[in-house]
Amino acid sequence: MIFIANALVAVVAALHGFFLVLEMFLWDKPLGLKIFRNTIEKAGDSKVLAANQGLYNGFLAAGLVWGLIHPNPAFAFQIEVFFLLCVIAAGAYGAATVSRRILYVQAAPAVLALVLLWLA
């Protein structure tokens, strides 16, 4: 069970790494425009804010990876729980303020990972 939980934590970390790339480097490119349903004008106006948001997603990914590789299992568990809760909070806020889609793309995988981590 711990293998499955950690695999899902790794998926959440990878998602946030992907969000970093999208928001920092692809925000005003065709893929970023399509995913975030932006116009080139809106993307241009918000590019700096998106890059800042992408950096924070990178911090979430880094924290989850830190939890996955930490040699002390008890501390690794605490790290993973903390960063998964941060992801869930960010996803819930994004769903409430930007798009309900964020709840499914960001928060739901983190909730599932957290539940499996607690059950492992």
Side-chain angles (χ1 to χ4, degrees):
M1 178 71 95
I2 191 68
F3 176 78
I4 295 170
N6 281 333
L8 196 50
V9 170
V11 167
V12 174
L15 281 171
H16 284 274
F18 181 60
F19 299 156
L20 175 146
V21 171
L22 281 172
E23 293 167 348
M24 292 189 80
F25 306 111
L26 302 177
W27 185 254
D28 58 352
K29 306 295 186 274
L31 181 61
L33 294 172
K34 181 180 176 183
I35 288 176
F36 294 105
R37 300 174 183 166
N38 274 335
T39 63
I40 191 70
E41 295 80 19
K42 185 177 172 185
D45 290 343
S46 58
K47 186 174 181 174
V48 173
L49 292 172
N52 188 41
Q53 184 172 297
L55 184 62
Y56 285 104
N57 276 307
F59 293 146
L60 293 172
L64 291 169
V65 170
W66 177 35
L68 287 169
I69 65 172
H70 198 282
N72 180 327
F75 190 49
F77 173 81
Q78 292 174 348
I79 294 167
E80 289 175 287
V81 167
F82 173 78
F83 281 97
L84 286 170
L85 288 171
C86 290
V87 168
I88 293 164
Y93 184 78
T97 59
V98 178
S99 169
R100 178 157 288 202
R101 200 168 56 141
I102 296 171
L103 191 64
Y104 306 110
V105 174
Q106 184 175 0
V111 168
L112 183 57
L114 184 63
V115 168
L116 290 177
L117 200 59
W118 275 97
L119 292 175

